[in-house]
């Protein structure tokens, strides 16, 4: 359906934030949207909230399923989507009234396959604008620029994407950090990528966010995603690879802290011991990695206690 935007909203136990999220979507200035809400086995009142909104708005498509994780939710949403364009909104976040309109205008005006845009981070009621790119102006991106930009902004909700770009690309089964596994593949497939220097998305950070949770599975998935992406960059986009090395070092460190005998432990150790740590931008991380080389058990205990 021409110019229909399919907005995919994964929902799992987000009753605290969900109403604000859905209100921001049903009140969009651009009306030609479908809201694909996928309740991924929530055990709180999320499904009641979803049902309430479905009765209010015929554009809502509500899917209930057993808990399968965010990757499977996104795959289901893309498969069900009827729109020309895909956008994602997480159920604990919210958007401005022109979230869809601005994105659509930009992707049509530039005839792009993907448009990146800026966002606001929300932490303890403090709202700060975050730039997706280092250069804050509208322009068409080269592949190298786009790949470099997703090193720290793989998060798909800050993008609008032509649905056809998802053909033959799926999110990996049962993996955290699914965006890191997939976004570079979408960028590689796109013929044209643009950047809109405007923030319309509010990214709400809280203690239950996947980026704040540290355990054996999350750190293993984060390491694997960064390793695969770095290897791809290293073969084809050397400038992006240089920027991605810091992320791989961080992923290696946390992997070893939570998976000291895991299947990637020897690879993670070799990355930390062979890399030139002096190039790390963060002094705190630099000192932490150096100390880990000498006192791995002590640093492991400290880090695990800090993130407990």
């Amino acid at each position: 359906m021409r110019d229909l935007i399919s907005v995919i909203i994964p929902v799992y136990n987000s009753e605290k934030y969900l109403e604000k999220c859905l209100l921001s979507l049903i009140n969009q200035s651009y009306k030609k949207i479908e809201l694909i809400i996928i309740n991924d086995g929530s055990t709180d009142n999320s499904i009641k909230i979803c049902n309430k909104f479905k009765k209010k708005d015929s554009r809502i498509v509500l899917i209930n399923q057993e808990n399968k994780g965010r990757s499977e939710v996104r795959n289901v949403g893309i498969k069900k989507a009827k729109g020309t364009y895909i956008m994602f909104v997480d159920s604990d976040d919210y958007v401005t009234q022109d979230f869809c309109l601005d994105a659509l205008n930009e992707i049509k005006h530039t005839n792009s396959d993907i448009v990146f845009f800026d966002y606001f981070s929300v932490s303890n009621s403090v709202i700060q604008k975050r730039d997706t790119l280092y250069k804050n102006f509208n322009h068409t991106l080269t592949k190298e620029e786009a790949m470099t930009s997703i090193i720290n902004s793989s998060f798909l909700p800050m993008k609008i994407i032509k649905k056809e770009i998802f053909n033959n690309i799926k999110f990996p089964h049962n993996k955290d950090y699914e965006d890191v596994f997939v976004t570079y593949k979408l960028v590689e497939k796109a013929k044209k990528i643009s950047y809109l220097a405007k923030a319309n998305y509010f990214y709400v950070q809280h203690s239950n966010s996947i980026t704040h949770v540290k355990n054996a599975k999350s750190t293993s998935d984060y390491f694997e995603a960064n390793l695969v992406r770095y290897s791809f960059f290293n073969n084809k986009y050397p400038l992006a690879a240089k920027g991605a090395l810091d992320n791989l070092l961080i992923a290696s460190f946390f992997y070893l802290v939570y998976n000291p005998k895991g299947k990637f432990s020897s690879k993670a150790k070799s990355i930390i011991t062979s890399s030139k740590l002096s190039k790390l931008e963060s002094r705190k991380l630099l000192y932490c990695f150096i100390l880990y080389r000498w006192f791995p058990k002590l640093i492991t205990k400290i880090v695990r206690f800090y993130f407990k």
Side-chain angles (χ1 to χ4, degrees):
M1 194 179 297
R2 184 173 174 79
D3 294 347
L4 176 69
I5 300 175
S6 298
V7 184
I8 298 170
I9 309 110
V11 174
Y12 178 71
N13 289 351
S14 51
E15 62 180 1
K16 183 178 178 181
Y17 310 95
L18 184 55
E19 188 147 349
K20 186 172 186 176
C21 172
L22 296 181
L23 273 172
S24 72
L25 288 167
I26 66 172
N27 291 321
Q28 286 295 295
S29 56
Y30 185 74
K31 304 300 182 185
K32 201 171 181 180
I33 60 176
E34 63 170 356
L35 304 176
I36 303 175
I37 303 173
I38 304 169
N39 175 46
D40 193 37
S42 295
T43 56
D44 64 358
N45 289 316
S46 292
I47 185 58
K48 291 181 180 179
I49 297 170
C50 291
N51 282 325
K52 181 178 77 172
F53 275 86
K54 181 172 172 54
K55 290 177 182 177
K56 288 182 180 180
D57 199 316
S58 61
R59 297 173 299 174
I60 290 176
V61 178
L62 178 58
I63 300 167
N64 290 301
Q65 63 180 37
E66 294 179 0
N67 182 254
K68 296 180 180 180
R70 283 161 53 96
S71 287
E72 289 304 317
V73 166
R74 288 187 169 180
N75 286 334
V76 168
I78 292 164
K79 187 175 180 180
K80 293 286 184 181
K82 297 177 181 177
T84 305
Y85 306 100
I86 300 277
M87 299 183 79
F88 296 91
V89 175
D90 282 357
S91 58
D92 44 4
D93 300 333
Y94 57 100
V95 298
T96 67
Q97 193 172 23
D98 293 329
F99 172 67
C100 291
L101 179 64
D102 287 344
L104 179 66
N105 284 342
E106 185 67 17
I107 201 167
K108 289 183 68 178
H109 174 71
T110 58
N111 193 28
S112 298
D113 298 306
I114 303 174
V115 172
F116 297 174
F117 44 86
D118 297 332
Y119 65 100
F120 297 101
S121 68
V122 184
S123 180
N124 296 321
S125 300
V126 177
I127 299 176
Q128 291 183 302
K129 184 177 181 295
R130 304 292 187 185
D131 296 336
T132 297
L133 300 189
Y134 296 113
K135 296 177 181 179
N136 194 16
F137 56 88
N138 295 3
H139 69 299
T140 300
L141 305 179
T142 65
K143 278 291 178 72
E144 190 91 50
E145 285 177 323
M147 292 298 184
T148 301
S149 76
I150 64 170
I151 293 168
N152 294 311
S153 62
S154 280
F155 199 39
L156 281 170
M158 289 78 169
K159 299 164 182 63
I160 183 170
I161 304 168
K162 283 185 179 177
K163 186 189 176 186
E164 63 190 44
I165 299 298
F166 284 95
N167 292 345
N168 301 317
I169 295 178
K170 285 191 174 184
F171 291 91
H173 176 67
N174 195 30
K175 295 288 186 183
D176 293 333
Y177 296 97
E178 70 282 358
D179 291 353
V180 181
F181 278 102
V182 164
T183 305
Y184 76 90
K185 296 179 182 178
L186 298 171
V187 169
E188 177 67 4
K189 192 173 178 182
K191 293 178 181 178
K192 187 175 183 181
I193 303 153
S194 298
Y195 167 58
L196 173 64
K198 184 174 181 179
N200 279 331
Y201 191 96
F202 293 86
Y203 172 39
V204 180
Q205 301 181 51
H206 51 82
S207 58
N208 294 326
S209 300
I210 187 62
T211 52
H212 293 100
V213 174
K214 296 286 186 292
N215 56 43
K217 183 184 185 315
S218 68
T219 53
S220 179
D221 290 348
Y222 187 61
F223 174 79
E224 186 178 355
N226 275 277
L227 179 63
V228 171
R229 186 176 67 177
Y230 176 78
S231 299
F232 174 80
F233 286 171
N234 209 31
N235 288 329
K236 198 163 184 180
Y237 301 99
L239 293 178
K242 288 180 180 179
L245 183 56
D246 273 14
N247 287 51
L248 183 58
L249 280 166
I250 294 167
S252 300
F253 172 71
F254 280 109
Y255 180 86
L256 291 171
V257 166
Y258 288 91
N259 301 273
K261 296 181 180 179
K263 65 177 181 178
F264 297 117
S265 57
S266 59
K267 181 66 176 177
K269 284 178 184 176
S270 69
I271 290 168
I272 285 185
T273 55
S274 64
S275 299
K276 294 181 179 179
L277 299 181
S278 59
K279 293 186 178 181
L280 273 172
E281 290 186 15
S282 170
R283 296 294 95 184
K284 287 182 180 179
L285 284 174
L286 172 62
Y287 299 143
C288 196
F289 289 171
I290 291 172
L291 287 171
Y292 181 83
R293 284 179 172 180
W294 289 95
F295 310 105
K297 291 183 179 180
L298 174 62
I299 298 302
T300 293
K301 286 182 179 179
I302 292 172
V303 171
R304 284 191 173 190
F305 178 79
Y306 181 79
F307 284 100
K308 186 166 61 176

